[in-house]
Amino acid sequence: GQAAAGTWASAAELAPAFGLVGTLLSLSQLPGGSFDSAGFNAAISGAVLTTLYGVLLANLLFAPLSDAIARAAERERAQ
């Protein structure tokens, strides 16, 4: 129980960092030289989305799951 909770807690801590890695990778795809609005928009939207996904996964999935597992493990240990 506690090991599983720790794993999900680690995922919650790392998800925003992986979102930022996705942001950097997406920004590296910005068109160089001439201004290409389609390429620019695609790179910026990818950057924003990867950051958003990292934060959302951390706060809406991984952290609550970790807390629920920790509470269940605590209830089992108390019984």
Side-chain angles (χ1 to χ4, degrees):
Q2 291 298 338
T7 299
W8 287 107
S10 294
E13 290 176 15
L14 293 173
F18 281 111
L20 290 175
V21 169
T23 297
L24 294 175
L25 288 173
S26 189
L27 290 177
S28 72
Q29 301 303 311
L30 281 169
S34 64
F35 180 76
D36 172 23
S37 64
F40 185 80
N41 289 340
I44 295 299
S45 67
V48 171
L49 284 175
T50 57
T51 301
L52 176 67
Y53 291 158
V55 170
L56 289 178
L57 283 171
N59 292 298
L60 297 180
L61 181 65
F62 299 150
L65 189 56
S66 171
D67 292 342
I69 293 170
R71 286 191 304 271
E74 184 61 37
R75 279 193 305 270
E76 278 185 20
R77 195 169 61 226
Q79 291 177 350

